Amino acid sequence: MHENIEDLTHLKKLDSSTVLQCLKSRYKQKQFYTWAGPTLVALNPLKDVPELYSKRMMQLFAHESFTYKTPHIFALGQRTLRHLQWGLGKTHQAIVVNGESGAGKTCNALYLLSFLAAMETNNNEVPNSNNIEVLLCKSNPLLEALGNAQTLKNENSSRFGKLIRLVYLGEGASTQLVSAHIETYLLESTRVSRQAAGERNFHIFYQMLAGLSDSVKVELDLKDVPVWEIASERDCNAVDEAQFHTTVAALEQLSLEDTTNQLWKLLAALLHLGNVKFVVSKEGSSWTTDQQHHVESAARLLGLNSNELFQMVTVRNFQAGSNSPAVVRPCSSQNECAARRDTLIKLLYRLMFDTVLGSVNQKLQHTNDNGLSTPKYLCILDLYGFESFVYGNSLEQLCINYANERLQYYFTINYLKEQQVHLANEVFFIHPTTKHLTSIETGLNLINLEENVLDKHNLISFLDGPVSVFGVLNEECYLNRGCDDSQVCIRIQSSLTERTKGVKSMPPSPRMPRASKTKAPPVEFAIGHYAGLVSYSTVSMLDKNRDYVPGEMMSLLSKSKSPFIKLLLGKDALIFNATHTMNGRRHTVLAKFKNSLDNLMRILNACDVHYVRCIRPSVSEMQYTLSPSQRWDEDYVDSQLNACGVIDTIKVSSFGYPIRMSHEEFATRYQYLSTSRGDCKIDAKEICRRIAENYPQMASEIRVGNSQMYATEKGIELAERWKLQIRNQAASIVQRWWRERLRRRKAAETIQNWWRTCLAIRAANKVKRWWKKKRSNAQLLSKVGQIFKSVRIVQRTVRRWLARVRANRQLHAQISCPSPVAHIVANQESLDDSNASSKVSLNWSENNNCAKSTQSPSLISIQLSRINYFYSVGVISIRRPPSVRARFITRKTCLPFSFIPPRSQLPSGLTDAYL
Ligand SMILES: Nc1ncnc2c1ncn2[C@@H]1O[C@H](COP(=O)(O)OP(=O)(O)OP(=O)(O)O)[C@@H](O)[C@H]1O
């Protein structure tokens, strides 16, 4: 019965066969991921397993406690993100996904990216289409279309290396993804013009041929062409058309729809150029072609003159010195013409790839940097896998394998060796109850890395040192002395004979003629890489390394009327200049590649690196129909495990502590776990010791070393959990105390309220009483007032009456007293009488002077029978015109003082009396 455990470091027996059996039994149970200490071993299922990467799984792994138990690519993503958020180890984090071609690197990197994107949107919200994580996921199909191709090993092989740098801002849970940048390494541009048998060009060509509408094809002259030399339509497969729409959608989603048409134009031009073949002209001194229509189409699509284009491809410009005039000479052979044509095709494709990538990077650029916090990077490196073909490994394979070699060396030095040296030098504080790790105390003798590391170091210096494969190839390119392929091969072999550790004798390839029989010059050399022996062919290696772009090609392209070509060249002007060294020589492909790898290593050095080792269970074609056990090729898996150092990792990790931090950092972070917190006299190391003492459960997970603290992932998880627990307890104490305070305050307020209410009631009662009293007084007053009012009315009435009586009396008295005032006395009978005038006694002074007198009487009384008529106003004049008896002219109306009978009752002749 084989052990089936989730972490290979927990195996009782740490050897290859036990590890293999464990992985095999897990593979059969469809458990494709296994921990090897901090490293994740990912077995390629060779078929889709959607349930393994579902949204539900993402949600499960987003939950912290799940992280360190179940091996999964999401668990590694979650762990790395936690390290970034908590600031464990270095500020920046990196995940290196490596393995052979077809082992599943790209798939795992994509799942990782989608998990990180989901974590950013909290797994359930609908993300904004302009969010960085969404744009990143959208850019993937586009980059795959432009940079992936079908190879013998993998139907969707990445033909470029990719470093995705995610930029986060903020601390802890508020850490947020703000931008991203995709850096690419060495696009295999030679594939555009030529592919090995059984392989295809980049996917985009087939997608275009399968998906473009007829009208667009007519516009691009793509119709009715029997064969395309660089991307045969016959190689189109069922998924190309569907993928064409995905690529177009990705271009639209990234707002690059303007580029789409230009892209098809450029790719169509490359197809046309690829079909151009060269024949010697009739005169024999120049070149011509049978495919003039392809030249015409290519020139039209590139915005160039067709004659100039053909001329540029078939005629070379020489310049002996910078001051000497240029010499123009036709190419010496068909191959030379074809090479110049291919250079143009490769150049345009590479520029197009860089421009599209530049646009994608612009979209992913950081927009809301608040400048308050320093950015933290989470890098995902998906570099091409180790490659070794039976025949035809060339400069591309040399670069790819060199990159893998350097990554492997980095891993060996930075992880395994460092672990070993560190653990050996540290004298650990071991808790008395722990019987674990006695091997550390007695010394680390389990792994002997010395020789291994030195070997790798030698091999890398053999590849890129001053006297090395790269050295020879670069030197030959710079000297340009016309060395042929076999001379280069011999130079590589002979100049490095003393360093034969790296160069091993290589049996001739089956396809190569045997040297002994044919005496053919050697064109192959072999290198013993960490992953196996690889034979490289030097055929065309120098040309590929030189990657020469003729000046006349650049000047012709700069005359293009196409704005897209101008855009590509705008970038290339910089690239073209940058490809020249200080001494005027052009940088070779190998030199540029080494520079970019040096840069990559610098980035990785600034990061805490986590590894995903992808393992392909079988070397043969994808065997979807076979059962998992049938798909398992033990020797092949074993070689991969050994090659990528999984076995070494397991050995070191079984007693290693991947997380390290200074005593001070640990003490500050976990001081809550120490009983002596806040005591400044105790040093950080002592606090760490006390923490380790306080928690024996953590003893095997956390070690107090001489120079720093060591912890396992589990140890940190436990420490974080306890820290949280203590914080929660402290928080609940503070809350309790605070609530108690609030309750007391509330109680005091209640008492104060009650007392204030009592006081208020008392005061109110007082006011009420006073008011009552006041009101009774007021009532009394109002009664008195009413009495007074009544009294006043009575008084007024009485006074009026008295005044009237007095006036009457006065009137009577006036009448009786002789005065110059007219006194008219009339009786009723006389008035009634028709001859009244005779009876009315008008008694006034005959002298009318009184009317003029200023002393007019104040009251005139006219008695008619029993009625007295009073006129109290001064009479100005009394007249007796002949028509009436008498007329009294008064100063003002006499009405208020007079009793005026109705006119009908007035005696005739007194009509005016009341004027
Ligand atoms: N986790 C996985 N789930 C399902 N299928 C997978 C998985 N990993 C890999 N595969 C299958 O294996 C194939 C090769 O994987 P992938 O392209 O990721 O390899 P690679 O290591 O990136 O290769 P290269 O270096 O050539 O780009 C995929 O096309 C897919 O069919």
Side-chain angles (χ1 to χ4, degrees):
M1 176 85 182
H2 299 296
E3 285 181 90
N4 177 17
I5 45 174
E6 293 182 329
D7 191 338
L8 295 172
T9 58
H10 297 160
L11 283 171
K12 289 193 190 98
K13 205 170 158 214
L14 292 173
D15 61 13
S16 292
S17 68
T18 328
V19 169
L20 266 174
Q21 290 313 313
C22 175
L23 288 177
K24 187 175 176 181
S25 80
R26 285 181 67 76
Y27 192 70
K28 272 198 231 166
Q29 292 164 36
K30 298 188 177 170
Q31 288 167 333
F32 301 109
Y33 292 100
T34 313
W35 292 118
T39 303
L40 183 71
V41 178
L43 299 169
N44 186 344
L46 297 177
K47 61 172 183 157
D48 277 345
V49 198
E51 65 279 6
L52 202 57
Y53 308 102
S54 62
K55 263 209 160 315
R56 207 185 131 263
M57 285 303 263
M58 285 189 188
Q59 274 158 2
L60 276 176
F61 280 98
H63 193 260
E64 191 189 335
S65 60
F66 207 76
T67 310
Y68 299 114
K69 291 173 194 154
T70 313
H72 197 286
I73 191 69
F74 295 163
L76 187 84
Q78 159 78 342
R79 174 194 290 186
T80 313
L81 197 60
R82 292 277 162 204
H83 281 219
L84 189 95
Q85 289 172 336
W86 294 345
L88 293 174
K90 293 182 184 167
T91 315
H92 309 300
Q93 304 289 322
I95 299 173
V96 174
V97 191
N98 64 359
E100 285 214 0
S101 177
K105 296 181 296 296
T106 311
C107 284
N108 277 297
L110 272 181
Y111 288 131
L112 196 59
L113 203 61
S114 53
F115 175 74
L116 293 173
M119 292 283 281
E120 208 48 35
T121 51
N122 281 338
N123 239 319
N124 41 21
E125 295 162 19
V126 180
N128 181 341
S129 61
N130 283 330
N131 282 356
I132 299 297
E133 59 275 10
V134 179
L135 290 176
L136 252 179
C137 295
K138 281 176 188 169
S139 66
N140 187 60
L142 178 62
L143 291 184
E144 279 203 356
L146 296 175
N148 286 23
Q150 181 185 316
T151 63
L152 291 173
K153 283 196 164 183
N154 184 0
E155 282 179 4
N156 184 28
S157 180
S158 312
R159 304 321 295 163
F160 64 105
K162 189 165 56 176
L163 176 78
I164 304 171
R165 203 189 308 198
L166 307 174
V167 184
Y168 287 84
L169 282 182
E171 294 296 324
S174 61
T175 308
Q176 203 194 352
L177 176 66
V178 291
S179 73
H181 187 266
I182 303 172
E183 208 161 305
T184 57
Y185 299 92
L186 194 78
L187 174 74
E188 193 197 21
S189 50
T190 45
R191 182 170 290 273
V192 197
S193 53
R194 205 179 320 147
Q195 309 91 41
E199 298 199 349
R200 294 203 318 173
N201 207 324
F202 291 105
H203 294 325
I204 191 80
F205 286 103
Y206 306 97
Q207 290 180 10
M208 184 179 84
L209 291 173
L212 277 185
S213 65
D214 282 352
S215 59
V216 180
K217 276 189 179 174
V218 169
E219 204 182 302
L220 302 176
D221 299 337
L222 294 179
K223 273 275 206 215
D224 307 323
V225 177
V227 66
W228 295 108
E229 290 296 331
I230 63 167
S232 171
E233 216 164 343
R234 280 197 299 271
D235 290 340
C236 287
N237 60 35
V239 290
D240 283 327
E241 192 177 342
Q243 282 180 347
F244 168 81
H245 297 295
T246 315
T247 307
V248 173
L251 279 164
E252 277 168 14
Q253 282 161 345
L254 289 162
S255 324
L256 299 174
E257 48 282 70
D258 299 345
T259 316
T260 315
N261 286 340
Q262 303 295 337
L263 202 68
W264 305 141
K265 271 190 181 180
L266 182 86
L267 293 171
L270 300 189
L271 286 176
H272 286 293
L273 275 176
N275 272 16
V276 177
K277 293 201 179 90
F278 308 92
V279 285
V280 185
S281 65
K282 281 177 192 153
E283 312 89 64
S285 58
S286 61
W287 297 96
T288 179
T289 180
D290 299 336
Q291 287 86 24
Q292 186 56 31
H293 58 286
H294 283 306
V295 179
E296 299 283 345
S297 300
R300 181 177 67 80
L301 294 167
L302 294 175
L304 298 172
N305 178 299
S306 58
N307 289 337
E308 284 178 357
L309 176 64
F310 192 73
Q311 181 87 353
M312 187 272 295
V313 173
T314 53
V315 177
R316 290 181 296 166
N317 281 12
F318 290 101
Q319 204 164 7
S322 54
N323 295 329
S324 51
V327 180
V328 177
R329 209 176 282 167
C331 290
S332 55
S333 65
Q334 264 179 343
N335 283 351
E336 199 182 343
C337 295
R340 282 173 75 89
R341 176 202 61 196
D342 290 352
T343 304
L344 179 63
I345 293 176
K346 284 187 285 183
L347 174 73
L348 287 171
Y349 193 85
R350 209 171 49 216
L351 290 179
M352 183 268 293
F353 183 81
D354 289 344
T355 307
V356 172
L357 184 73
S359 309
V360 171
N361 275 333
Q362 236 172 16
K363 293 275 159 210
L364 298 175
Q365 235 173 27
H366 175 85
T367 46
N368 55 345
D369 180 4
N370 53 16
L372 296 177
S373 50
T374 29
K376 296 187 266 189
Y377 304 126
L378 197 161
C379 306
I380 301 172
L381 179 67
D382 168 18
L383 221 54
Y384 8 57
F386 184 82
E387 272 185 9
S388 170
F389 300 111
V390 180
Y391 174 70
N393 296 306
S394 188
L395 193 84
E396 296 81 12
Q397 280 67 44
L398 184 64
C399 287
I400 289 171
N401 295 342
Y402 165 70
N404 279 285
E405 199 73 63
R406 279 196 69 171
L407 273 181
Q408 184 61 23
Y409 175 67
Y410 177 88
F411 170 73
T412 313
I413 282 292
N414 283 285
Y415 183 69
L416 300 181
K417 184 75 182 151
E418 199 185 286
Q419 285 258 338
Q420 191 190 35
V421 170
H422 254 96
L423 295 177
N425 289 341
E426 293 284 355
V427 177
F428 288 107
F429 161 73
I430 306 229
H431 194 271
T433 57
T434 321
K435 290 184 177 60
H436 196 66
L437 291 176
T438 45
S439 62
I440 293 171
E441 290 172 291
T442 54
L444 293 167
N445 301 320
L446 284 171
I447 310 161
N448 185 4
L449 288 170
E450 289 303 320
E451 202 187 324
N452 193 10
V453 169
L454 275 174
D455 263 359
K456 299 267 161 64
H457 185 67
N458 272 348
L459 186 60
I460 288 174
S461 70
F462 162 77
L463 284 171
D464 68 3
V467 185
S468 62
V469 179
F470 282 23
V472 170
L473 289 169
N474 287 342
E475 195 180 270
E476 287 302 333
C477 288
Y478 295 144
L479 294 176
N480 203 11
R481 54 187 177 190
C483 230
D484 68 15
D485 299 334
S486 69
Q487 283 169 321
V488 174
C489 185
I490 291 164
R491 261 208 74 190
I492 289 175
Q493 288 175 340
S494 63
S495 65
L496 302 170
T497 38
E498 355 38 286
R499 310 184 75 175
T500 45
K501 251 187 176 170
V503 187
K504 297 185 180 168
S505 62
M506 179 72 189
S509 152
R511 297 197 200 177
M512 285 291 291
R514 280 185 172 272
S516 55
K517 278 186 185 170
T518 60
K519 298 220 172 20
V523 284
E524 280 194 0
F525 65 95
I527 296 175
H529 287 285
Y530 74 94
L533 201 65
V534 182
S535 160
Y536 295 97
S537 159
T538 50
V539 176
S540 306
M541 225 182 210
L542 278 187
D543 287 341
K544 285 181 182 174
N545 189 32
R546 208 175 281 124
D547 193 28
Y548 174 64
V549 179
E552 58 268 29
M553 195 174 279
M554 293 304 291
S555 54
L556 176 74
L557 287 177
S558 63
K559 284 194 240 163
S560 165
K561 288 179 200 129
S562 157
F564 191 57
I565 301 293
K566 282 203 163 72
L567 180 77
L568 303 188
L569 286 182
K571 272 184 82 70
D572 194 54
L574 294 174
I575 297 165
F576 196 68
N577 292 336
T579 52
H580 287 77
T581 57
M582 292 295 282
N583 52 16
R585 291 192 306 209
R586 275 175 56 77
H587 275 307
T588 59
V589 169
L590 287 174
K592 281 189 275 177
F593 188 62
K594 184 179 177 298
N595 279 348
S596 61
L597 273 189
D598 289 345
N599 214 14
L600 173 67
M601 292 303 150
R602 271 194 289 278
I603 294 174
L604 290 184
N605 275 330
C607 298
D608 260 352
V609 186
H610 309 258
Y611 292 91
V612 183
R613 303 296 194 181
C614 299
I615 306 287
R616 194 175 153 157
S618 163
V619 73
S620 53
E621 294 285 302
M622 301 296 164
Q623 301 159 334
Y624 298 104
T625 47
L626 301 179
S627 70
S629 54
Q630 284 169 315
R631 268 182 254 149
W632 190 264
D633 180 341
E634 199 138 312
D635 290 340
Y636 184 53
V637 175
D638 189 29
S639 72
Q640 289 176 77
L641 288 176
N642 276 309
C644 59
V646 171
I647 305 290
D648 288 347
T649 314
I650 297 163
K651 285 181 181 171
V652 172
S653 302
S654 63
F655 47 78
Y657 296 89
I659 299 171
R660 282 116 198 253
M661 57 181 96
S662 67
H663 293 124
E664 286 72 23
E665 195 184 338
F666 190 85
T668 317
R669 191 186 284 270
Y670 301 111
Q671 56 175 317
Y672 300 98
L673 306 183
S674 159
T675 44
S676 54
R677 60 173 174 270
D679 192 343
C680 358
K681 285 179 204 136
I682 301 175
D683 76 331
K685 192 171 169 184
E686 185 54 32
I687 293 176
C688 297
R689 265 179 82 95
R690 288 189 186 179
I691 293 172
E693 259 174 9
N694 287 350
Y695 294 88
Q697 308 95 308
M698 216 161 54
S700 60
E701 310 296 338
I702 285 180
R703 297 262 160 240
V704 187
N706 263 343
S707 63
Q708 57 182 340
M709 285 297 295
Y710 296 80
T712 58
E713 299 284 351
K714 194 179 165 200
I716 289 294
E717 197 195 356
L718 284 173
E720 284 290 335
R721 201 177 291 163
W722 282 322
K723 181 175 138 184
L724 197 71
Q725 219 170 325
I726 291 173
R727 271 191 180 182
N728 286 346
Q729 277 169 3
S732 51
I733 291 171
V734 172
Q735 282 173 352
R736 210 167 41 232
W737 169 82
W738 182 249
R739 279 199 209 103
E740 183 66 38
R741 220 182 136 209
L742 286 182
R743 264 201 301 275
R744 281 178 184 218
R745 189 190 280 184
K746 212 167 172 188
E749 274 173 9
T750 311
I751 293 170
Q752 282 172 355
N753 281 349
W754 171 80
W755 180 241
R756 281 198 199 101
T757 314
C758 283
L759 288 180
I761 290 171
R762 198 182 283 174
N765 282 342
K766 216 169 164 182
V767 171
K768 215 162 144 188
R769 275 199 304 276
W770 171 82
W771 179 248
K772 240 182 194 168
K773 221 162 143 187
K774 207 172 168 193
R775 206 167 58 183
S776 60
N777 286 348
Q779 275 173 351
L780 197 69
L781 276 176
S782 81
K783 266 181 191 161
V784 171
Q786 276 172 7
I787 291 168
F788 281 157
K789 205 172 168 186
S790 316
V791 167
R792 272 198 301 275
I793 292 167
V794 170
Q795 280 179 338
R796 196 166 60 228
T797 319
V798 169
R799 275 195 209 107
R800 271 188 192 164
W801 176 74
L802 284 175
R804 212 171 279 153
V805 168
R806 222 178 289 131
N808 274 345
R809 273 197 204 134
Q810 215 176 359
L811 193 68
H812 286 299
Q814 277 175 1
I815 290 168
S816 59
C817 73
S819 76
V821 175
H823 186 196
I824 302 168
V825 180
N827 58 46
Q828 186 64 44
E829 293 87 33
S830 63
L831 281 172
D832 293 341
D833 198 339
S834 56
N835 199 8
S837 61
S838 61
K839 288 175 187 174
V840 172
S841 141
L842 290 172
N843 189 11
W844 68 78
S845 162
E846 281 299 320
N847 187 358
N848 275 345
N849 285 345
C850 74
K852 292 165 191 159
S853 155
T854 51
Q855 290 181 342
S856 53
S858 61
L859 196 68
I860 292 171
S861 163
I862 302 170
Q863 192 172 5
L864 297 173
S865 176
R866 286 181 298 274
I867 305 164
N868 275 325
Y869 296 93
F870 303 100
Y871 298 95
S872 65
V873 261
V875 175
I876 295 168
S877 67
I878 303 167
R879 293 186 197 142
R880 196 169 59 165
S883 54
V884 290
R885 300 251 181 98
R887 175 177 285 176
F888 297 87
I889 311 294
T890 58
R891 198 177 294 276
K892 56 183 176 179
T893 180
C894 53
L895 289 177
F897 302 98
S898 58
F899 170 68
I900 299 166
R903 199 180 265 260
S904 58
Q905 288 178 20
L906 278 174
S908 56
L910 279 179
T911 47
D912 295 337
Y914 54 90
L915 280 173

